[in-house]
Each structure stands twice: as C-alpha cells, then as structure tokens.
Amino acid sequence: MAKTYDIVIDGKTCTAEHGEYLWDVAKRNGIEIPALCRSEAFPEHRASCRVCIVEVVAHGRSKVVTSCVYPIEGECEVHTNSPKIVQDRKVLMALLAARAPESDLMAAMASHMGAGEGYERLEPLDAGKCILCGLCVQACESMGTGAISTVNRGIDKEINTPYSAASDDCIGCLSCANVCPTDSIPFMEDSRTRTIWNRTFELSRCKKCGRVLGTQQMSDVELCDACRRKAIANELAETYRFV
C-alpha cells in the first residue's frame, strides 16, 4: 500500500499518495491549476508550458515548482495563486501570447491573467498559433510514426516534418491536430481525401455504412465498430438459432 500524506492546497487539506503529481492531487480535490501542455492521453508529462507553476512551502522553505511533474514526497503547503505565482504566471502568459499572436485561446488566457498590459516591450512573432508545447510530437511518437519533431532554434523553432517536406512516416491520423491546445496544426478534408503536413491521403470508409475510418495508411479494417458489432451479432444469431 502506498504511503500517503496530508497536504494543504489553498487552505484545503488533501490526501496524496507518495510520488503522486501535485497537479493530479489538486484536480482530484476540485482545485483548478491552469495547464496547456498536459494531456491525459499520455502517461508522461513534459512540463514545457510552465503555466501550472505553484508555490510549495515545506520545512520552512518556499519554492516555485511545476505542479504537473512535481511528485509529492511529504507534507507541504501549496499556494496556487500567491502574489509571486500570479506575477510569474503573467510573465509566462505574456511570453506565450507573443509566441502565438494568432491564437484566440492564448489572447483570452493572457487577458484573464492580467498579462494584456505592461508587456508591450515583448515583440510578437509575425504569425502563428503554436506555443511549442510538444503535445503533437508526443502524440506522433505514441503512434509509432515520429513524422514530426521540433526543428530550428531560437525564434525560428517550430514543429515540422524534416525539411518541411511530405513525410513518408506520416499516416494522416490527425492525432497531432486533435491534441493541440491552440488549434495550430491545419488540415483539410473532403469526401475522398485528407491533407496534412504537405501530404494528401485517401480516406478509408466502412464497407457497410460509409463512415470514415481514417486514412488508408492507418488501418486495413473494412468495418466501423458499430457495423462490426452488428455483423458479429448476426453471425452468432445465425449460428445458434437452431440450438
């Protein structure tokens, strides 16, 4: 049985297991900590956006930590909106909003956190919605493809395929686009094809109902889940109707 601790988050006593991430403890107890680069789809979290910072006080000392990857190892007191955290989070949001000037989400979050004024010295990039959270790369890796990655450095850093060319490894699954928090990965789809990362894929449809199953590179499955269950039920009924 895992060892447990009583920790106090914003005045509320919460029970945490040893090694459990602070962000998860807060969420389980109804305490919201903002985060952009975290997805429940992945067991590992990269803490790249840093928006989930909180202040932890333990053994008489205070420190700022990234809550989504901070493991609980003892009793402590946590402040999710202390004056220091509020100020630091403003700076983070101002930087992220400048990084993604076309993102409505980033603009709204920056405004909500008070990062809309006083940061005019930050020159925004010419365009874009990407905050380099890395979730799309993580999603691509989880599919076993690795078609996209972080390329270039400094203000030119971006997520892309090698040399911005159509990747032979991409299967057009849209996992990257679906997990992106700022909707920064464009794709187009019509009744026959899907285009993403400079590559166009033929869509695969259910042989029975015509529902889109994905691209032809994703799977050789011919029936959707509903039609497959119906086919199995019909087969069982036909097999056992005289029993």
Side-chain angles (χ1 to χ4, degrees):
M1 185 175 179
K3 187 175 182 180
T4 61
Y5 307 101
D6 286 335
I7 67 173
V8 179
I9 307 178
D10 292 343
K12 182 178 181 178
T13 301
C14 308
T15 300
E17 292 187 358
H18 180 84
E20 187 177 13
Y21 289 142
L22 176 53
W23 193 91
D24 293 314
V25 179
K27 181 181 180 181
R28 189 174 66 248
N29 287 272
I31 300 170
E32 182 179 354
I33 300 175
L36 288 165
C37 67
R38 184 187 175 101
S39 172
E40 298 305 310
F42 312 118
E44 296 181 1
H45 310 293
R46 301 182 177 183
S48 57
C49 76
R50 322 302 287 185
V51 176
C52 69
I53 56 172
V54 297
E55 189 172 2
V56 173
V57 180
H59 308 296
R61 295 185 177 182
S62 172
K63 59 182 176 180
V64 175
V65 304
T66 311
S67 64
C68 72
V69 293
Y70 181 78
I72 300 298
E73 297 179 341
E75 294 183 355
C76 60
E77 186 175 355
V78 181
H79 304 284
T80 67
N81 286 292
S82 65
K84 178 175 179 56
I85 292 301
V86 169
Q87 182 57 41
D88 287 354
R89 204 173 277 153
K90 281 183 181 181
V91 176
L92 287 168
M93 287 308 308
L95 290 168
L96 289 172
R99 171 78 207 184
E102 293 184 352
S103 171
D104 293 337
L105 173 63
M106 300 313 300
M109 289 184 67
S111 177
H112 177 71
M113 295 182 186
E117 298 181 2
Y119 296 93
E120 291 82 3
R121 65 185 184 279
L122 297 176
E123 185 174 348
L125 297 184
D126 291 337
K129 297 181 180 181
C130 180
I131 58 172
L132 295 175
C133 68
L135 283 177
C136 57
V137 176
Q138 199 169 359
C140 195
E141 290 174 350
S142 71
M143 295 295 292
T145 53
I148 58 175
S149 62
T150 304
V151 298
N152 302 325
R153 297 181 179 180
I155 61 173
D156 294 322
K157 183 182 288 188
E158 63 177 353
I159 306 296
N160 211 331
T161 56
Y163 307 106
S164 302
S167 173
D168 291 336
D169 295 324
C170 183
I171 59 176
C173 64
L174 297 187
S175 294
C176 56
N178 290 334
V179 79
C180 177
T182 60
D183 194 27
S184 69
I185 301 176
F187 66 92
M188 295 185 297
E189 187 171 300
D190 56 32
S191 60
R192 298 185 303 104
T193 63
R194 173 186 296 167
T195 301
I196 187 170
W197 298 114
N198 300 316
R199 186 177 176 186
T200 299
F201 302 86
E202 293 289 332
L203 292 177
S204 174
R205 292 181 175 274
C206 175
K207 300 296 184 182
K208 286 287 186 180
C209 68
R211 181 180 302 173
V212 173
L213 301 175
T215 65
Q216 294 183 2
Q217 286 78 5
M218 289 173 59
S219 173
D220 57 0
V221 174
E222 295 186 346
L223 298 177
C224 68
D225 289 341
C227 291
R228 187 163 58 249
R229 287 194 297 268
K230 185 182 296 185
I232 292 173
N234 290 340
E235 182 178 348
L236 290 174
E238 184 68 23
T239 301
Y240 295 106
R241 64 175 177 164
F242 298 116
V243 176

